[in-house]
Amino acid sequence: MGSEPKSESAPDPPVAVELDGVTKRYGETAAVDDVRLRVREGEFFTLVGPSGCGQTTTLRLIAGFEEPTSGTVRFGDESVAGVPPEDRDVGVVFQSYALFPHMTVGENVAYGLNFADPPDGVTRDERVAELLELVDLPDAADRDPESLSGGQQQRIAMARALAPGPDVLLLDEPMSALDARLRERLRAQVKRIQSELSITTIYVTHDQEEALAVSDRVAVMNDGTPEQVAPPRTVYREPATRFVAEFVGDNNVFAGRVVESLGEGELAVDVDDGDETLRVAPGGGGDAGEGAPATNSPEVGDRIAFCVRPEHLRVASAGGAGGGETAAPVGENTLRATVASAEFLGETTRVTLDWGDRELLVRTVDPLDGAVAVGFDPSDGHVIDAEQR
Amino acid sequence: MTDHDGRLSRLGEWAEARALTALAVLTSAALVVAFYYPTATVLIEAVVVDGAVTLGAFAEVLTDPFYFGELARLLSGESPVAVARALLSPDRRLGIVGFTAYQAVLSTVASVALGLPAAYLLARFEFPGRRTLRSLTIVPFVLPSIMVAVGFVATFGENGTLNTALTTLGLPRVELMFTLEAVVIAHAFYNAPLVARVTTAAWESVDASAVETARSLGAGPVRAFVDVVAPQVYPAVLTGAALTFVFTFGTFPIVLALGGFELVTVEVLVYRLVRDLSYAEAAVLAIIELAVSLGVLLAYLRYEARQSTGARGARPLPRRPLSPPAATLRELLPRAGLAAYGVVAGVVFLAPIASMVLASVTGGDGAITLDHYRFLVERQQTGAAFQVRPWPAIRNSLAFATGATLLALPMGVVVAVLTTRRYRGRTLVDAAAMAPLAVSGIIVGLGLLRGLVFGVEIGGWRIAASGAAAIVVAHAVSGYPFVVRTVSPGLAGLDRSLVESARALGASRARVIRDVEIPLVWPAVVAGAAFAFAVSIGEFTSTVVLATGADAYTMPVAIERFIGRRLGPATAMGVVLLVVTGVSFVVIERLGGDHRGL
């Protein structure tokens, strides 16, 4: 396993794990449906999606706990069909940690060394000490796993998985049993260990924030299929589908019909909800990553859906109880709405607005109440799909 | 609200707040009257002779080769080398205690050997009827032992189904009656399902993630089993083995019925001594028996305390289909083993019951007949007063079982509530409440007979109960630990915040038990009731001591009276007992409403 630092400009490293049209059916239902993924060496790759969308099954197919119904899993360029888990050189950390309750922490970490010599020619004991050091629990070797806190157990499970020096580290919701604060600390630690060892890591989570925070690339899964595979920033800024737009972060999705082309890529759209015509400039779009459907530039008459992030909606109090036309300027695309509820989050306030029959989400710094005006720049609108809805 | 109402409701609150304490006191009092006091009066005779405390009786028994075999010589001061040599010689003597332990060890080995494949089948394979089969493993445990004995006589007896089958096949007949083999197999019939149950439960609680982790770390399937599954399962196997040893060490009806005159265990001898009115000797033996049983249980509990295998399977191991998915050796071999096991299990578990039913409708000439049932009816109509008649036996069994269940249920629930809460001395309370499981039924029966039935004088008042009442009490005492054992796990598994929510909403502790805990563990309470009822219906040991009059005998006692002379009517009576027990189970389940199985 190499340890040279990654550089942005270097050519893509070779593929470590590849899923080629992999499908896994349980009876009638497909838990994983024709998945095509390539995870590169040293990459921190995350499968994210609502619970039960096939991420865990995908991980289990890679680990060898399940065999695909059809399609091929490759490690490097070799198929691992029929290769049992013990011969795949993977390390797995489960949601339940699955520490062996009848062994000490040290015995747990050393377990994999029964079947593989420690890397770098160190002794078993040295290797165990090295890993306990790595996860910041140097004195835990003689302890009983059950005497450890949840976060400590998670780190031991991580040390155990890494001890034999696996090629790929598989993490299945390893933090979902922990509280939010601890989760943030541990995910930073997981990320640090991953980049120190530059080990190929596939991480399963249902927490999109976690996925954005740690990953080099993210695959957003829905119904057993990745809807978008891209770096976190791309997934956030240029969601490929409505599902991705709504699952990753807060979003306001508008659907409507293009009524006019205003030049320079700007479109006028008659929005379905509310009797408004909004202007949106899809821009270049850029690389939305693998899995993103090719979006042709929409033409007049097309139905399209586009989204605007809450932080891109500008909002100002509409003033006076009389509801006069005294709204502060909020840019183009001005909508009139009323405050329904507000959640104070510290840095910002997440405000839900009633706009006609539907809701809009905005983020503000100042408190808001009553009638408001909302606006956004056409260039902040991102067209999700011309075929969508 | 008027002032009067206010006082009343305050009184109500006061009573409610103390209801739990009151129930606990009542339960303790019942245990003292029905168990501790009577047992103590009998056991005290072991050390008090003519008003003086002495260990002479113990010394006599301990050094008597009749009881302790070659070991007695060691206890009386002979050189260990000589004793060891004698023990290794072919004509060694084990003595009664030695033999009892020997047959208990053999029975334990047989039960584990028969129980483990069943656990493997139930925990690792999926097939239609798996849940039913799993529930059925509880059945042997509550089958009346004397009925099982009849079934074994009908199977392995001189003219039993086994010999009939062998003759038909032209094979030599076997003589299993009154042999150690028959006793051991009968014990396995009882205890192998117990071993299977506890082992299955442990196996199912092994986290599949742990096995998968071991696999991903490089262990093959066999190695992962040895390193991860086995260490988490074998404490359960030991639990089953320890319980089997204790149960079979104190065995009574099986050996009485299947052992003839040659095979005598401690409990059988205690019974004979009691009949001959040698109470002191009986008490000494009972204490020794109790000491061995408790010793094994304690050693086991200490071991269990050191094992800290948390049994919270996040995700159980997947089950494999019973029909092989592929015709490979790896898939076929375990299934072939299970098929072979199925044949053995059929002979051990099904043949006795089937043979009993068959024998009850088979005449001396081998033809199908209802003569045995006709005999029962005739006996009912024309039997003399001193003879055992069927109807009173059925009526008594049902009446005693109903009474015992009504007593055992509240006692069991109260003890379950008390022992699932955390406080100092809880283990002691638990042990004190469970003691009836370990003490010889003969001794409890004898204590009740000489205490309650013959009468106790307290402050000039003479208190005496009828034999029937004493039987109900004895049955309740032997049945309530089963209520505790079924209800406790449910209570312990309840989310504490449910109780706390109810208390925060203003309910008293007793009110919470009534409104929240009991309804949530209701299926377990119903199961406990069914257990208590079945234990009472099948109880033989203390009943045979207490049922002195012609008015108090039960079905098991009636069967025992028949078994020596007439196997036919005994099997017919056995079938009646089987039907009554079965129907009672169904009725209790129906009355109890929704019952999700054990």
Side-chain angles (χ1 to χ4, degrees):
Chain A
M1 160 192 359
S3 60
E4 63 269 56
K6 272 204 310 269
S7 72
E8 297 294 337
S9 56
D12 283 344
V15 172
V17 177
E18 181 180 0
L19 275 71
D20 188 359
V22 169
T23 298
K24 177 69 183 176
R25 286 181 179 283
Y26 296 101
E28 287 294 289
T29 50
V32 168
D33 196 1
D34 192 27
V35 168
R36 288 164 205 281
L37 288 176
R38 282 187 174 152
V39 181
R40 295 178 198 125
E41 265 178 30
E43 188 175 32
F44 198 120
F45 189 90
T46 299
L47 299 165
V48 66
S51 299
C53 273
Q55 313 97 291
T56 292
T57 307
T58 307
L59 196 83
R60 295 172 62 79
L61 288 164
I62 297 169
F65 302 136
E66 316 275 350
E67 285 290 332
T69 312
S70 62
T72 315
V73 179
R74 292 192 193 91
F75 278 31
D77 43 20
E78 270 176 57
S79 163
V80 288
V83 177
E86 62 265 30
D87 297 330
R88 289 198 180 189
D89 280 333
V90 292
V92 184
V93 176
F94 285 101
Q95 182 175 3
S96 63
Y97 317 132
L99 295 182
F100 306 131
H102 53 292
M103 300 181 191
T104 64
V105 164
E107 286 163 355
N108 263 283
V109 175
Y111 187 77
L113 302 175
N114 289 326
F115 314 104
D117 288 331
D120 313 325
V122 296
T123 68
R124 264 170 87 99
D125 289 350
E126 284 166 356
R127 181 66 180 163
V128 171
E130 199 175 293
L131 278 146
L132 290 176
E133 192 76 43
L134 182 74
V135 297
D136 284 335
L137 285 169
D139 303 319
D142 296 326
R143 294 184 63 182
D144 179 3
E146 309 214 329
S147 72
L148 301 178
S149 70
Q152 289 169 329
Q153 291 190 21
Q154 194 269 336
R155 280 139 74 189
I156 296 304
M158 180 98 176
R160 177 178 66 181
L162 290 169
D167 295 338
V168 180
L169 180 62
L170 305 173
L171 305 167
D172 184 10
E173 300 259 10
M175 309 209 191
S176 56
L178 304 172
D179 67 75
R181 250 317 129 104
L182 189 56
R183 225 159 41 211
E184 275 175 34
R185 264 198 7 240
L186 279 178
R187 80 187 181 208
Q189 191 179 30
V190 168
K191 178 72 189 163
R192 170 181 65 77
I193 291 170
Q194 190 270 336
S195 46
E196 250 173 57
L197 305 175
S198 60
I199 179 170
T200 310
T201 300
I202 302 175
Y203 188 98
V204 163
T205 181
H206 64 269
D207 181 342
Q208 45 91 17
E209 187 188 312
E210 201 165 276
L212 298 183
V214 294
S215 318
D216 295 326
R217 279 194 308 149
V218 176
V220 184
M221 305 269 296
N222 184 27
D223 278 342
T225 319
E227 297 222 339
Q228 186 173 15
V229 183
R233 274 169 207 284
T234 312
V235 168
Y236 186 82
R237 290 184 182 158
E238 294 156 33
T241 64
R242 186 188 180 106
F243 173 80
V244 176
E246 288 183 329
F247 180 75
V248 179
D250 289 335
N251 227 332
N252 297 294
V253 178
F254 301 88
R257 185 178 299 278
V258 178
V259 289
E260 195 183 345
S261 181
L262 302 171
E264 289 179 36
E266 203 168 302
L267 303 169
V269 181
D270 256 0
V271 179
D272 296 350
D273 339 78
D275 214 2
E276 300 275 352
T277 302
L278 298 177
R279 288 191 293 145
V280 57
D287 178 22
E290 297 167 32
T295 316
N296 303 322
S297 37
E299 289 165 19
V300 174
D302 280 357
R303 288 194 56 77
I304 65 164
F306 65 94
C307 58
V308 185
R309 291 279 176 197
E311 61 268 29
H312 291 142
L313 285 183
R314 280 193 295 267
V315 62
S317 183
E325 300 291 307
T326 54
V330 287
E332 293 149 285
N333 292 325
T334 303
L335 306 172
R336 311 222 152 254
T338 47
V339 173
S341 64
E343 290 172 89
F344 179 62
L345 302 176
E347 213 176 320
T348 60
T349 302
R350 185 170 182 263
V351 184
T352 308
L353 304 175
D354 281 335
W355 174 54
D357 289 340
R358 58 166 290 176
E359 292 182 339
L360 295 176
L361 281 173
V362 297
R363 290 196 177 243
T364 63
V365 179
D366 305 318
L368 269 183
D369 204 6
V372 292
V374 186
F376 62 92
D377 284 346
S379 62
D380 283 333
H382 170 73
V383 174
I384 306 163
D385 195 35
E387 254 69 61
Q388 203 79 21
R389 286 207 150 207
Chain B
M1 185 192 282
T2 67
D3 195 41
H4 180 68
D5 283 343
R7 254 206 311 280
L8 251 184
S9 87
R10 269 200 300 282
L11 192 69
E13 279 167 28
W14 182 89
E16 220 178 84
R18 280 154 191 79
L20 190 59
T21 320
L23 283 170
V25 169
L26 272 178
T27 304
S28 316
L31 273 180
V32 168
V33 172
F35 176 70
Y36 281 100
Y37 174 73
T39 310
T41 55
V42 177
L43 297 184
I44 207 116
E45 293 202 25
V47 286
V48 178
V49 177
D50 301 330
V53 176
T54 168
L55 288 176
F58 269 100
E60 263 175 47
V61 167
L62 286 174
T63 54
D64 188 343
F66 174 70
Y67 292 115
F68 278 86
E70 311 290 352
L71 217 56
R73 290 163 53 198
L74 182 72
L75 294 166
S76 52
E78 280 188 48
S79 114
V81 181
V83 173
R85 199 171 298 143
L87 269 176
L88 291 175
S89 75
D91 56 341
R92 62 177 172 263
R93 288 179 306 163
L94 288 169
I96 300 258
V97 177
F99 170 74
T100 307
Y102 175 62
Q103 62 83 25
V105 168
L106 288 183
S107 303
T108 305
V109 170
S111 302
V112 170
L114 263 177
L116 287 189
Y120 174 57
L121 176 71
L122 288 171
R124 298 295 286 113
F125 289 91
E126 189 56 80
F127 51 92
R130 179 182 61 81
R131 282 166 183 283
T132 313
L133 188 63
R134 195 179 197 282
S135 308
L136 281 178
T137 55
I138 200 67
V139 170
F141 207 71
V142 293
L143 281 183
S145 47
I146 196 75
M147 188 193 88
V148 173
V150 170
F152 270 79
V153 173
T155 312
F156 299 112
E158 228 174 305
N159 299 310
T161 40
L162 180 65
N163 275 334
T164 312
L166 289 175
T167 318
T168 323
L169 294 171
L171 295 166
R173 302 163 69 83
V174 290
E175 190 49 74
L176 272 176
M177 278 319 288
F178 311 127
T179 62
L180 185 56
E181 285 86 342
V183 169
V184 167
I185 295 174
H187 282 162
F189 174 91
Y190 264 97
N191 294 292
L194 173 76
V195 173
R197 269 183 96 70
V198 292
T199 309
T200 305
W203 210 326
E204 284 172 345
S205 74
V206 171
D207 188 0
S209 308
V211 177
E212 286 165 358
T213 304
R215 295 291 302 277
S216 71
L217 288 169
V222 174
R223 184 71 195 262
F225 175 83
V226 171
D227 286 348
V228 178
V229 179
Q232 295 188 67
V233 169
Y234 91 96
V237 179
L238 273 182
T239 305
L243 290 175
T244 303
F245 182 88
V246 170
F247 289 144
T248 53
F249 191 80
T251 181
F252 177 58
I254 295 283
V255 179
L256 190 68
L258 298 180
F261 291 105
E262 300 96 88
L263 301 180
V264 178
T265 59
V266 175
E267 186 84 352
V268 173
L269 192 65
V270 169
Y271 175 64
R272 287 189 190 161
L273 288 170
V274 166
R275 278 201 151 168
D276 301 344
L277 306 181
S278 322
Y279 292 146
E281 213 176 336
V284 169
L285 267 183
I287 289 178
I288 291 170
E289 188 191 40
L290 182 61
V292 173
S293 295
L294 287 183
V296 170
L297 274 183
L298 269 178
Y300 165 70
L301 285 177
R302 289 185 62 143
Y303 161 82
E304 194 189 37
R306 276 189 289 121
Q307 288 306 109
S308 62
T309 47
R312 329 117 289 146
R315 177 164 54 91
L317 293 161
R319 289 195 166 82
R320 292 189 275 163
L322 197 55
S323 53
T328 61
L329 195 63
R330 243 187 85 81
E331 296 289 352
L332 289 176
L333 206 59
R335 290 172 175 84
L338 284 175
Y341 168 74
V343 173
V344 175
V347 170
V348 173
F349 295 110
L350 297 181
I353 305 297
S355 301
M356 182 183 77
V357 176
L358 191 66
S360 77
V361 292
T362 309
D365 51 358
I368 299 293
T369 168
L370 284 176
D371 278 356
H372 305 313
Y373 293 94
R374 225 167 273 136
F375 171 87
L376 290 184
V377 174
E378 267 167 37
R379 173 59 67 89
Q380 174 63 32
Q381 284 161 349
T382 63
F386 62 89
Q387 283 177 321
V388 172
R389 288 184 297 166
W391 171 240
I394 297 173
R395 190 193 57 211
N396 285 342
S397 279
L398 287 173
F400 295 163
T402 307
T405 306
L406 291 178
L407 261 179
L409 257 191
M411 285 171 74
V413 170
V414 167
V415 171
V417 168
L418 290 177
T419 51
T420 43
R421 297 158 83 192
R422 305 218 155 270
Y423 51 87
R424 281 164 69 93
R426 183 178 65 105
T427 329
L428 203 69
V429 173
D430 204 7
M434 288 298 125
L437 275 183
V439 175
S440 146
I442 301 282
I443 296 302
V444 179
L446 180 62
L448 282 170
L449 184 70
R450 293 203 295 158
L452 275 182
V453 179
F454 295 170
V456 192
E457 234 169 284
I458 302 170
W461 293 78
R462 188 159 182 78
I463 300 168
S466 69
I471 291 178
V472 169
V473 168
H475 287 187
V477 165
S478 51
Y480 94 92
F482 292 94
V483 179
V484 178
R485 280 298 172 242
T486 47
V487 175
S488 283
L491 282 180
L494 277 189
D495 187 351
R496 277 217 58 76
S497 56
L498 291 173
V499 174
E500 285 159 2
S501 306
R503 304 237 24 203
L505 290 168
S508 68
R509 189 67 192 82
R511 213 28 218 276
V512 176
I513 293 176
R514 203 196 75 185
D515 292 349
V516 178
E517 292 172 271
I518 300 283
L520 285 174
V521 298
W522 186 245
V525 175
V526 173
F531 259 109
F533 196 90
V535 165
S536 171
I537 286 245
E539 216 284 344
F540 176 72
T541 314
S542 62
T543 316
V544 77
V545 176
L546 285 166
T548 45
D551 61 329
Y553 52 79
T554 61
M555 286 189 275
V557 175
I559 291 174
E560 202 267 340
R561 298 281 144 84
F562 285 138
I563 203 173
R565 281 148 286 180
R566 311 161 193 275
L567 182 62
T571 56
M573 197 69 205
V575 171
V576 172
L577 178 53
L578 183 66
V579 169
V580 171
T581 310
V583 169
S584 312
F585 249 77
V586 173
V587 169
I588 290 174
E589 277 193 19
R590 285 289 149 81
L591 287 180
D594 186 28
H595 171 35
R596 273 169 272 152
L598 287 158

